[in-house]
Amino acid sequence: MKAKKCLGQNFLINKDVINNIANSINVQKDDLIIEIGPGMGALTKELKKKNSFLLCYELDTDLKPYLNALEDDKTKIIYEDILKSNIKKDSKDIPYQKLFIVGNLPYYITTPIIKYLISLNLDVKEMTFMVQEEVADRFTALPNHKDYGSITLYLKYFFNVEKLFRVSKNSFNPVPKVESAIIKLTKRENKPEVNTEKYFKLISDSFKMKRKTLRNNLSNYDFKKVEEVLLKYNLPLNIRAEELAEEVFVDINNSL
Ligand code: SAM
């Protein structure tokens, strides 16, 4: 089948990579795996070997000839945009224990997919995704690194985010322009105690202009209170957001 660029179709052809992804997911028979974008079923076939419940969302109905044969009483394919899916409703009759989400994601909507899944408020144990390597670096960056930003802190609030391994572009057909990586997002148990709406606005505002100081980016905030927190951590008042760890943001947030 001719891959559709507009749907981010780069099909995995490297068996080792497929096995490594499947092996990194530690599911039991009575767990549910949701696969996003099964494509021609390269990863789906490997996931089926785990004998868990498997629910796949694929937008492209032209892939039916490849995916039909994979359906059985534990595996279902839903032809729908994942961004419009109702996972809670679709999975309500499945007697599963833990929920896992997996996918070699269509790169043009990586962040919207992850944000959408978060918005559904599902009780997900782990999400394992193939993403563009640059995006993996942004999601897993540490303070004082150029890739550290509001999305890093946003994801960190919900998950422990790790980069598992790099994937060469030659592992796909067609070969994409960018290198890729597998990331794992594991549900975080000890989330910071914050008003999330206020906290996510604070981190987004703090990184608005990356090269500016925190003081400049937070000009609409009561900076006296921010200063007090910075002084408590012995940090200079002309610091930039990129240099601040999560606990400092949480402290700033709760002082405002
Ligand atoms: N899993 C397959 C593999 O690894 O070979 C295909 C991965 S390919 C990078 C991404 C897949 O996501 C494609 O099959 C594409 O049709 C599908 N897709 C794109 N946009 C989607 C959407 N909004 N909802 C569900 N699937 C989508």
Coordinates of all heavy atoms in Angstrom, one line a residue, residues 45-136:
K45 N 0.7 -7.4 15.7 CA 0.9 -8.8 15.6 C 1.7 -9.2 16.8 O 1.4 -10.3 17.4 CB 1.6 -9.2 14.3 CG 0.7 -9.2 13.1 CD 1.5 -9.6 11.9 CE 0.7 -9.1 10.7 NZ 1.5 -8.7 9.5
E46 N 2.7 -8.4 17.2 CA 3.6 -8.8 18.3 C 2.8 -8.6 19.6 O 3.0 -9.4 20.5 CB 4.8 -7.8 18.2 CG 6.1 -8.4 18.6 CD 6.3 -9.8 18.1 OE1 6.2 -10.1 16.9 OE2 6.6 -10.7 19.0
L47 N 2.0 -7.5 19.7 CA 1.2 -7.3 20.9 C 0.2 -8.4 21.2 O -0.1 -8.8 22.3 CB 0.5 -5.9 20.8 CG 1.4 -4.7 20.8 CD1 0.6 -3.4 20.5 CD2 2.2 -4.5 22.0
K48 N -0.3 -8.9 20.1 CA -1.3 -10.0 20.2 C -0.8 -11.2 20.9 O -1.5 -11.9 21.6 CB -1.8 -10.4 18.8 CG -3.1 -9.7 18.3 CD -3.4 -10.1 16.9 CE -4.1 -11.5 16.9 NZ -5.5 -11.5 17.1
K49 N 0.5 -11.4 20.8 CA 1.2 -12.6 21.4 C 1.1 -12.6 22.9 O 1.3 -13.6 23.6 CB 2.6 -12.7 20.9 CG 2.8 -13.1 19.5 CD 4.2 -13.2 19.1 CE 4.4 -13.4 17.6 NZ 5.8 -13.2 17.2
K50 N 0.8 -11.4 23.4 CA 0.7 -11.2 24.9 C -0.6 -11.7 25.5 O -0.8 -11.8 26.7 CB 0.9 -9.8 25.3 CG 2.3 -9.3 24.9 CD 2.6 -7.9 25.4 CE 4.0 -7.5 25.0 NZ 5.1 -8.0 25.9
N51 N -1.6 -12.0 24.5 CA -2.9 -12.5 24.9 C -3.7 -11.6 25.8 O -4.6 -12.0 26.5 CB -2.7 -13.9 25.6 CG -2.5 -14.9 24.6 OD1 -3.2 -14.9 23.6 ND2 -1.6 -15.9 24.9
S52 N -3.3 -10.3 25.9 CA -4.1 -9.3 26.7 C -5.3 -8.9 25.8 O -5.3 -9.2 24.6 CB -3.3 -8.1 27.0 OG -2.0 -8.5 27.3
F53 N -6.2 -8.1 26.3 CA -7.2 -7.4 25.5 C -6.5 -6.4 24.7 O -5.6 -5.7 25.2 CB -8.3 -6.8 26.4 CG -9.0 -7.8 27.2 CD1 -8.7 -7.9 28.6 CD2 -10.0 -8.6 26.7 CE1 -9.4 -8.8 29.4 CE2 -10.7 -9.5 27.5 CZ -10.4 -9.6 28.8
L54 N -6.9 -6.2 23.5 CA -6.2 -5.2 22.6 C -7.3 -4.4 21.8 O -8.2 -5.0 21.1 CB -5.3 -6.0 21.6 CG -4.4 -5.3 20.7 CD1 -3.5 -4.3 21.4 CD2 -3.5 -6.3 19.9
L55 N -7.2 -3.1 22.0 CA -8.2 -2.2 21.3 C -7.3 -1.3 20.5 O -6.5 -0.6 21.0 CB -9.0 -1.5 22.4 CG -10.2 -0.8 22.1 CD1 -11.2 -1.7 21.4 CD2 -10.8 -0.2 23.4
C56 N -7.6 -1.3 19.1 CA -6.7 -0.4 18.3 C -7.6 0.7 17.6 O -8.7 0.4 17.2 CB -6.1 -1.2 17.2 SG -5.2 -2.7 17.8
Y57 N -7.0 1.9 17.5 CA -7.7 3.0 16.8 C -6.9 3.3 15.6 O -5.7 3.7 15.7 CB -7.8 4.2 17.8 CG -8.8 4.0 18.9 CD1 -8.4 3.4 20.1 CD2 -10.1 4.3 18.7 CE1 -9.3 3.2 21.1 CE2 -11.0 4.1 19.8 CZ -10.6 3.6 21.0 OH -11.5 3.4 22.0
E58 N -7.5 3.2 14.5 CA -6.9 3.5 13.2 C -7.8 4.4 12.4 O -9.0 4.1 12.2 CB -6.5 2.2 12.4 CG -6.0 2.4 11.0 CD -4.7 3.3 11.0 OE1 -3.7 3.0 11.6 OE2 -4.8 4.4 10.3
L59 N -7.2 5.5 11.9 CA -8.1 6.4 11.1 C -8.3 6.0 9.7 O -9.3 6.3 9.1 CB -7.4 7.8 11.1 CG -8.1 9.0 10.5 CD1 -9.4 9.2 11.1 CD2 -7.2 10.3 10.7
D60 N -7.3 5.3 9.1 CA -7.3 5.0 7.7 C -8.0 3.7 7.4 O -7.5 2.6 7.6 CB -5.9 5.0 7.2 CG -5.8 4.8 5.7 OD1 -6.8 4.8 5.0 OD2 -4.6 4.8 5.2
T61 N -9.2 3.7 6.8 CA -10.0 2.5 6.5 C -9.4 1.7 5.4 O -9.7 0.5 5.2 CB -11.5 2.8 6.2 OG1 -11.5 3.8 5.2 CG2 -12.2 3.3 7.4
D62 N -8.5 2.3 4.6 CA -7.8 1.6 3.5 C -6.9 0.5 4.1 O -6.4 -0.4 3.4 CB -6.9 2.5 2.7 CG -7.7 3.4 1.8 OD1 -8.9 3.1 1.6 OD2 -7.1 4.4 1.2
L63 N -6.6 0.5 5.4 CA -5.8 -0.5 6.0 C -6.6 -1.7 6.5 O -6.0 -2.7 7.0 CB -5.0 0.1 7.2 CG -4.0 1.2 6.8 CD1 -3.6 2.0 8.0 CD2 -2.8 0.5 6.2
K64 N -7.9 -1.7 6.3 CA -8.7 -2.8 6.7 C -8.2 -4.2 6.2 O -8.2 -5.2 6.9 CB -10.2 -2.6 6.3 CG -11.0 -1.8 7.2 CD -12.5 -1.7 6.9 CE -13.2 -0.9 7.9 NZ -14.6 -0.7 7.6
P65 N -7.8 -4.3 4.9 CA -7.4 -5.6 4.4 C -6.2 -6.2 5.2 O -6.1 -7.4 5.3 CB -6.9 -5.3 3.0 CG -7.6 -4.0 2.6 CD -7.8 -3.2 3.8
Y66 N -5.4 -5.3 5.8 CA -4.3 -5.8 6.6 C -4.7 -6.1 8.0 O -4.1 -7.0 8.7 CB -3.1 -4.7 6.7 CG -2.6 -4.4 5.3 CD1 -3.1 -3.3 4.6 CD2 -1.6 -5.1 4.7 CE1 -2.7 -2.9 3.4 CE2 -1.1 -4.8 3.5 CZ -1.7 -3.7 2.8 OH -1.2 -3.3 1.6
L67 N -5.7 -5.3 8.5 CA -6.0 -5.4 9.9 C -7.2 -6.4 10.2 O -7.2 -6.9 11.4 CB -6.4 -4.0 10.5 CG -5.2 -3.0 10.5 CD1 -5.7 -1.6 10.9 CD2 -4.1 -3.5 11.4
N68 N -8.0 -6.6 9.3 CA -9.2 -7.5 9.5 C -8.8 -8.9 10.1 O -9.4 -9.3 11.0 CB -9.9 -7.8 8.2 CG -10.9 -6.6 7.9 OD1 -11.2 -5.8 8.8 ND2 -11.4 -6.6 6.7
A69 N -7.7 -9.4 9.5 CA -7.3 -10.8 9.9 C -6.8 -10.8 11.4 O -6.7 -11.9 12.0 CB -6.2 -11.3 9.0
L70 N -6.5 -9.7 11.9 CA -6.0 -9.6 13.3 C -7.1 -9.6 14.4 O -6.8 -9.8 15.5 CB -5.1 -8.4 13.5 CG -3.9 -8.4 12.5 CD1 -3.0 -7.1 12.8 CD2 -3.0 -9.6 12.7
E71 N -8.3 -9.3 13.9 CA -9.4 -9.2 14.9 C -9.8 -10.6 15.4 O -9.9 -11.6 14.6 CB -10.6 -8.5 14.3 CG -10.3 -7.0 14.1 CD -11.6 -6.2 14.0 OE1 -12.1 -5.8 15.0 OE2 -12.1 -6.0 12.8
D72 N -10.1 -10.7 16.7 CA -10.7 -11.9 17.3 C -11.4 -11.5 18.6 O -11.6 -10.3 18.8 CB -9.6 -13.0 17.5 CG -8.5 -12.5 18.4 OD1 -8.7 -11.6 19.3 OD2 -7.3 -13.0 18.3
D73 N -11.7 -12.5 19.4 CA -12.5 -12.1 20.6 C -11.8 -11.2 21.6 O -12.4 -10.6 22.5 CB -13.1 -13.3 21.3 CG -12.1 -14.4 21.6 OD1 -11.0 -14.3 21.1 OD2 -12.4 -15.3 22.4
K74 N -10.4 -11.2 21.5 CA -9.7 -10.3 22.4 C -9.1 -9.0 21.7 O -8.6 -8.1 22.4 CB -8.6 -11.0 23.2 CG -9.1 -11.9 24.3 CD -8.0 -12.4 25.2 CE -7.8 -11.6 26.4 NZ -6.9 -12.2 27.4
T75 N -9.2 -9.0 20.4 CA -8.6 -7.9 19.6 C -9.7 -7.2 18.8 O -10.3 -7.9 18.0 CB -7.5 -8.4 18.7 OG1 -6.5 -9.1 19.5 CG2 -6.8 -7.3 17.9
K76 N -9.8 -5.9 18.9 CA -10.8 -5.2 18.2 C -10.1 -3.9 17.5 O -9.3 -3.3 18.2 CB -11.9 -4.7 19.1 CG -13.2 -4.4 18.5 CD -14.3 -4.1 19.4 CE -15.4 -3.5 18.7 NZ -16.2 -2.5 19.4
I77 N -10.5 -3.7 16.3 CA -10.0 -2.5 15.6 C -11.1 -1.5 15.5 O -12.2 -1.9 15.0 CB -9.4 -2.8 14.2 CG1 -8.6 -4.1 14.1 CG2 -8.6 -1.6 13.6 CD1 -7.2 -4.0 14.6
I78 N -10.9 -0.3 15.9 CA -11.9 0.8 15.7 C -11.4 1.8 14.7 O -10.3 2.3 14.9 CB -12.2 1.5 17.1 CG1 -12.8 0.4 18.0 CG2 -13.2 2.6 16.9 CD1 -13.2 0.9 19.4
Y79 N -12.1 2.0 13.6 CA -11.7 2.9 12.6 C -12.2 4.3 12.9 O -13.3 4.7 12.6 CB -12.1 2.5 11.2 CG -11.4 1.2 10.8 CD1 -12.0 -0.1 11.2 CD2 -10.1 1.2 10.3 CE1 -11.3 -1.2 10.9 CE2 -9.4 0.0 10.0 CZ -10.0 -1.2 10.3 OH -9.3 -2.3 10.1
E80 N -11.4 5.1 13.6 CA -11.8 6.4 14.1 C -10.6 7.2 14.4 O -9.5 6.7 14.7 CB -12.5 6.1 15.5 CG -13.4 7.2 15.9 CD -14.2 6.8 17.2 OE1 -13.6 6.7 18.3 OE2 -15.4 6.5 17.0
D81 N -10.8 8.5 14.4 CA -9.7 9.4 14.8 C -9.5 9.3 16.3 O -10.4 9.5 17.1 CB -10.2 10.9 14.5 CG -9.2 11.9 14.8 OD1 -8.2 11.6 15.5 OD2 -9.3 13.1 14.3
I82 N -8.3 9.0 16.7 CA -8.0 8.8 18.2 C -8.4 10.1 18.9 O -8.8 10.1 20.1 CB -6.5 8.4 18.5 CG1 -6.3 8.1 19.9 CG2 -5.5 9.5 18.0 CD1 -7.0 6.9 20.5
L83 N -8.3 11.3 18.3 CA -8.6 12.5 18.9 C -10.1 12.7 19.2 O -10.5 13.7 19.8 CB -8.0 13.7 18.2 CG -6.5 13.7 18.1 CD1 -6.0 14.8 17.2 CD2 -5.8 13.9 19.4
K84 N -10.9 11.8 18.6 CA -12.3 12.0 18.8 C -12.9 10.7 19.5 O -14.1 10.5 19.6 CB -13.0 12.1 17.4 CG -12.7 13.4 16.8 CD -13.5 13.7 15.5 CE -13.1 15.0 14.9 NZ -12.9 14.9 13.5
S85 N -12.0 9.8 19.9 CA -12.4 8.6 20.4 C -13.0 8.7 21.8 O -12.7 9.6 22.6 CB -11.2 7.6 20.5 OG -10.2 8.2 21.4
N86 N -13.8 7.7 22.2 CA -14.4 7.7 23.5 C -13.9 6.4 24.2 O -14.6 5.3 24.1 CB -15.9 7.7 23.5 CG -16.5 7.9 24.9 OD1 -15.8 7.6 25.9 ND2 -17.7 8.4 24.9
I87 N -12.7 6.4 24.6 CA -12.0 5.1 25.1 C -12.8 4.5 26.3 O -13.0 3.3 26.4 CB -10.5 5.4 25.5 CG1 -9.8 5.8 24.2 CG2 -9.9 4.2 26.2 CD1 -8.3 6.2 24.4
K88 N -13.3 5.4 27.2 CA -14.0 4.9 28.3 C -15.2 4.0 27.9 O -15.5 2.9 28.4 CB -14.5 6.0 29.2 CG -13.4 6.4 30.2 CD -13.9 7.3 31.3 CE -12.8 7.7 32.2 NZ -12.9 9.1 32.8
K89 N -16.0 4.6 26.9 CA -17.2 3.9 26.4 C -16.8 2.6 25.6 O -17.4 1.6 25.9 CB -17.9 4.9 25.5 CG -19.2 4.3 25.0 CD -20.1 5.5 24.4 CE -21.0 5.0 23.3 NZ -20.4 5.2 21.9
D90 N -15.7 2.7 24.8 CA -15.3 1.6 24.0 C -14.8 0.4 24.8 O -14.8 -0.7 24.4 CB -14.3 2.0 23.0 CG -14.8 3.0 22.0 OD1 -16.0 3.1 21.7 OD2 -14.0 3.8 21.4
S91 N -14.3 0.7 26.0 CA -13.7 -0.3 26.8 C -14.5 -0.7 28.0 O -14.1 -1.6 28.8 CB -12.3 0.2 27.3 OG -12.5 1.3 28.1
K92 N -15.7 -0.2 28.1 CA -16.5 -0.4 29.3 C -16.9 -1.9 29.5 O -17.1 -2.3 30.7 CB -17.7 0.6 29.4 CG -18.9 0.2 28.6 CD -20.0 1.2 28.9 CE -21.3 0.9 28.3 NZ -21.3 0.2 27.0
D93 N -17.1 -2.7 28.5 CA -17.4 -4.1 28.6 C -16.2 -5.0 28.7 O -16.4 -6.2 28.7 CB -18.4 -4.5 27.5 CG -19.7 -3.7 27.6 OD1 -20.1 -3.4 28.7 OD2 -20.3 -3.4 26.5
I94 N -15.0 -4.4 28.7 CA -13.9 -5.3 28.7 C -13.4 -5.5 30.2 O -13.2 -4.5 30.9 CB -12.7 -4.7 27.9 CG1 -13.1 -4.4 26.4 CG2 -11.5 -5.6 27.9 CD1 -12.1 -3.7 25.6
P95 N -13.4 -6.7 30.6 CA -13.1 -6.9 32.1 C -11.6 -6.9 32.3 O -11.0 -7.9 32.7 CB -13.6 -8.4 32.3 CG -13.5 -9.0 31.0 CD -13.6 -8.0 29.9
Y96 N -11.0 -5.7 32.2 CA -9.5 -5.7 32.3 C -9.1 -5.2 33.7 O -9.9 -4.5 34.4 CB -8.9 -4.8 31.2 CG -9.3 -3.3 31.3 CD1 -8.4 -2.4 32.0 CD2 -10.4 -2.7 30.7 CE1 -8.7 -1.1 32.2 CE2 -10.7 -1.4 30.8 CZ -9.8 -0.6 31.6 OH -10.1 0.7 31.7
Q97 N -7.8 -5.4 34.0 CA -7.3 -5.0 35.3 C -6.5 -3.6 35.1 O -7.0 -2.6 35.5 CB -6.3 -6.0 35.8 CG -6.9 -7.3 36.3 CD -7.8 -7.1 37.5 OE1 -7.5 -6.3 38.4 NE2 -9.0 -7.7 37.5
K98 N -5.4 -3.7 34.3 CA -4.6 -2.4 34.1 C -4.7 -2.0 32.7 O -4.8 -2.8 31.8 CB -3.2 -2.7 34.6 CG -3.1 -3.0 36.0 CD -1.6 -2.9 36.5 CE -1.4 -3.8 37.8 NZ -1.0 -5.1 37.5
L99 N -4.5 -0.7 32.5 CA -4.6 -0.1 31.1 C -3.2 0.3 30.7 O -2.5 1.1 31.4 CB -5.6 1.0 31.1 CG -5.7 1.8 29.9 CD1 -6.2 0.9 28.7 CD2 -6.6 3.0 30.1
F100 N -2.8 -0.1 29.5 CA -1.6 0.3 28.8 C -1.9 1.0 27.5 O -2.8 0.5 26.8 CB -0.7 -0.9 28.6 CG -0.1 -1.5 29.8 CD1 -1.0 -2.3 30.6 CD2 1.2 -1.4 30.2 CE1 -0.5 -2.9 31.8 CE2 1.7 -2.0 31.4 CZ 0.8 -2.7 32.2
I101 N -1.2 2.0 27.1 CA -1.4 2.6 25.8 C -0.1 2.6 25.0 O 1.0 2.9 25.6 CB -2.0 4.0 25.9 CG1 -3.3 4.0 26.8 CG2 -2.3 4.6 24.5 CD1 -4.0 5.4 26.9
V102 N -0.2 2.2 23.8 CA 1.1 2.0 23.0 C 0.8 2.6 21.6 O -0.3 2.6 21.1 CB 1.3 0.5 22.8 CG1 2.6 0.2 22.0 CG2 1.4 -0.2 24.2
G103 N 1.9 3.0 20.9 CA 1.7 3.4 19.5 C 3.0 4.0 18.9 O 3.8 4.6 19.6
N104 N 3.1 3.6 17.7 CA 4.1 4.3 16.8 C 3.3 5.5 16.3 O 2.6 5.4 15.3 CB 4.6 3.4 15.7 CG 5.4 4.0 14.7 OD1 5.8 5.2 14.8 ND2 5.6 3.3 13.6
L105 N 3.4 6.6 17.0 CA 2.4 7.7 16.7 C 2.6 8.4 15.4 O 3.7 8.5 14.9 CB 2.6 8.8 17.9 CG 2.2 8.3 19.3 CD1 2.3 9.5 20.2 CD2 0.8 7.7 19.3
P106 N 1.5 8.9 14.8 CA 1.6 9.8 13.7 C 2.2 11.1 14.2 O 1.6 11.8 15.1 CB 0.1 10.0 13.2 CG -0.7 9.5 14.4 CD 0.1 8.6 15.2
Y107 N 3.4 11.5 13.8 CA 4.2 12.5 14.4 C 3.6 13.9 14.3 O 3.8 14.8 15.2 CB 5.6 12.6 13.8 CG 6.5 11.4 14.2 CD1 7.8 11.3 13.6 CD2 6.1 10.4 15.1 CE1 8.6 10.2 13.9 CE2 6.8 9.3 15.4 CZ 8.1 9.2 14.8 OH 8.9 8.1 15.1
Y108 N 2.7 14.1 13.3 CA 2.1 15.5 13.2 C 1.1 15.8 14.3 O 0.8 17.0 14.5 CB 1.4 15.6 11.8 CG 0.1 14.8 11.6 CD1 -1.1 15.5 11.6 CD2 0.1 13.4 11.5 CE1 -2.3 14.7 11.5 CE2 -1.0 12.7 11.4 CZ -2.2 13.4 11.3 OH -3.4 12.7 11.2
I109 N 0.7 14.8 15.1 CA -0.2 15.1 16.2 C 0.3 14.4 17.5 O -0.5 14.0 18.4 CB -1.6 14.6 15.9 CG1 -1.7 13.3 15.2 CG2 -2.4 15.7 15.1 CD1 -3.1 12.7 15.1
T110 N 1.6 14.3 17.7 CA 2.1 13.6 18.9 C 1.6 14.3 20.2 O 1.0 13.6 21.1 CB 3.7 13.6 19.0 OG1 4.2 12.9 17.8 CG2 4.2 13.0 20.2
T111 N 1.9 15.6 20.3 CA 1.5 16.3 21.6 C -0.1 16.4 21.7 O -0.6 16.1 22.8 CB 2.1 17.7 21.7 OG1 3.6 17.5 21.6 CG2 1.8 18.4 23.0
P112 N -0.8 16.7 20.6 CA -2.3 16.7 20.8 C -2.8 15.3 21.3 O -3.7 15.2 22.1 CB -2.8 17.0 19.4 CG -1.7 17.8 18.8 CD -0.4 17.3 19.3
I113 N -2.2 14.2 20.8 CA -2.7 12.9 21.2 C -2.4 12.7 22.7 O -3.3 12.3 23.5 CB -2.0 11.7 20.4 CG1 -2.5 11.7 19.0 CG2 -2.3 10.4 21.1 CD1 -1.8 10.7 18.1
I114 N -1.2 13.0 23.2 CA -0.9 12.8 24.6 C -1.8 13.7 25.5 O -2.3 13.3 26.5 CB 0.6 13.0 24.8 CG1 1.4 12.0 24.0 CG2 1.0 13.0 26.3 CD1 2.9 12.1 24.1
K115 N -2.0 15.0 25.0 CA -2.8 15.9 25.8 C -4.2 15.4 25.8 O -4.9 15.5 26.9 CB -2.7 17.3 25.3 CG -1.4 18.0 25.6 CD -1.4 19.5 25.3 CE -0.2 20.1 25.9 NZ -0.1 21.5 25.5
Y116 N -4.7 14.8 24.7 CA -6.1 14.3 24.6 C -6.2 13.1 25.6 O -7.2 13.1 26.4 CB -6.4 13.9 23.2 CG -7.8 13.4 23.1 CD1 -8.9 14.2 23.2 CD2 -8.1 12.0 22.9 CE1 -10.2 13.8 23.1 CE2 -9.4 11.5 22.8 CZ -10.4 12.4 22.9 OH -11.7 11.9 22.8
L117 N -5.3 12.3 25.6 CA -5.3 11.1 26.5 C -5.3 11.5 28.0 O -6.1 11.0 28.8 CB -4.2 10.1 26.2 CG -4.2 9.5 24.8 CD1 -2.9 8.7 24.6 CD2 -5.4 8.5 24.7
I118 N -4.6 12.5 28.3 CA -4.5 13.1 29.6 C -5.9 13.6 30.0 O -6.5 13.4 31.1 CB -3.4 14.1 29.8 CG1 -2.0 13.4 29.8 CG2 -3.6 14.9 31.1 CD1 -0.9 14.4 29.7
S119 N -6.5 14.3 29.0 CA -7.8 15.0 29.3 C -8.9 14.0 29.5 O -9.9 14.3 30.1 CB -8.2 15.9 28.1 OG -8.7 15.1 27.0
L120 N -8.7 12.7 29.0 CA -9.8 11.7 29.2 C -9.8 11.2 30.6 O -10.7 10.5 31.0 CB -9.6 10.6 28.2 CG -9.7 10.9 26.8 CD1 -9.5 9.6 25.9 CD2 -11.1 11.4 26.5
N121 N -8.7 11.5 31.4 CA -8.7 11.1 32.8 C -8.8 9.6 33.0 O -9.6 9.1 33.8 CB -9.9 11.8 33.5 CG -9.4 12.3 34.8 OD1 -8.3 12.0 35.3 ND2 -10.2 13.2 35.4
L122 N -8.1 8.8 32.1 CA -8.1 7.4 32.2 C -7.1 7.0 33.3 O -6.2 7.7 33.5 CB -7.7 6.8 30.9 CG -8.4 7.2 29.6 CD1 -7.6 6.9 28.4 CD2 -9.8 6.5 29.5
D123 N -7.4 5.8 33.9 CA -6.4 5.4 34.9 C -5.3 4.5 34.1 O -5.4 3.3 34.1 CB -7.1 4.6 35.9 CG -6.2 4.3 37.1 OD1 -5.1 4.9 37.2 OD2 -6.5 3.4 37.9
V124 N -4.4 5.2 33.5 CA -3.4 4.5 32.6 C -2.2 4.1 33.5 O -1.6 5.0 34.1 CB -2.9 5.3 31.4 CG1 -2.1 4.5 30.5 CG2 -4.1 6.0 30.8
K125 N -1.7 2.9 33.4 CA -0.5 2.5 34.1 C 0.7 3.0 33.4 O 1.7 3.6 34.0 CB -0.4 1.0 34.3 CG 0.7 0.6 35.1 CD 0.6 -0.9 35.5 CE 1.6 -1.3 36.6 NZ 3.0 -1.1 36.2
E126 N 0.8 2.8 32.1 CA 1.9 3.1 31.3 C 1.6 3.5 29.9 O 0.7 2.9 29.3 CB 2.8 1.9 31.2 CG 4.1 1.9 31.9 CD 4.7 0.5 31.8 OE1 4.9 0.0 30.6 OE2 5.1 0.0 32.8
M127 N 2.3 4.4 29.3 CA 2.1 4.7 27.9 C 3.5 4.6 27.2 O 4.4 5.2 27.7 CB 1.5 6.1 27.7 CG 0.3 6.4 28.5 SD -0.8 7.6 27.7 CE 0.1 9.1 28.1
T128 N 3.6 3.8 26.1 CA 4.8 3.6 25.4 C 4.7 4.1 24.0 O 3.8 3.6 23.3 CB 5.2 2.2 25.5 OG1 5.2 1.7 26.8 CG2 6.6 1.9 24.9
F129 N 5.4 5.1 23.6 CA 5.2 5.7 22.3 C 6.5 5.8 21.5 O 7.6 6.2 22.1 CB 4.6 7.1 22.4 CG 3.2 7.1 23.0 CD1 2.9 8.0 24.0 CD2 2.2 6.3 22.5 CE1 1.7 8.1 24.6 CE2 1.0 6.3 23.1 CZ 0.7 7.2 24.1
M130 N 6.4 5.6 20.2 CA 7.5 6.0 19.3 C 7.2 7.5 18.9 O 6.1 7.8 18.5 CB 7.4 5.2 18.0 CG 8.4 5.6 16.9 SD 9.9 4.7 17.1 CE 9.4 3.1 16.5
V131 N 8.2 8.3 19.1 CA 8.0 9.8 18.8 C 9.3 10.2 18.1 O 10.3 9.5 18.1 CB 7.8 10.6 20.0 CG1 6.5 10.2 20.7 CG2 9.0 10.6 21.0
Q132 N 9.2 11.4 17.5 CA 10.4 12.0 16.9 C 11.4 12.2 18.0 O 11.1 12.6 19.1 CB 9.9 13.3 16.3 CG 10.9 14.0 15.4 CD 10.3 15.3 14.9 OE1 9.1 15.4 14.7 NE2 11.1 16.3 14.6
E133 N 12.7 11.9 17.7 CA 13.7 12.0 18.8 C 13.8 13.3 19.4 O 13.9 13.4 20.7 CB 15.1 11.6 18.2 CG 16.1 11.4 19.4 CD 17.4 10.9 19.0 OE1 17.9 11.2 17.9 OE2 18.0 10.3 19.9
E134 N 13.7 14.4 18.6 CA 13.7 15.7 19.2 C 12.6 16.0 20.2 O 12.8 16.6 21.2 CB 13.4 16.6 18.0 CG 14.1 18.0 18.0 CD 13.7 18.7 16.6 OE1 12.7 19.3 16.5 OE2 14.5 18.5 15.7
V135 N 11.5 15.4 19.9 CA 10.3 15.5 20.8 C 10.6 14.7 22.1 O 10.4 15.2 23.2 CB 9.0 15.0 20.1 CG1 7.9 14.9 21.1 CG2 8.7 15.9 19.0
A136 N 11.2 13.5 21.9 CA 11.6 12.7 23.1 C 12.5 13.5 24.0 O 12.4 13.4 25.2 CB 12.2 11.4 22.6

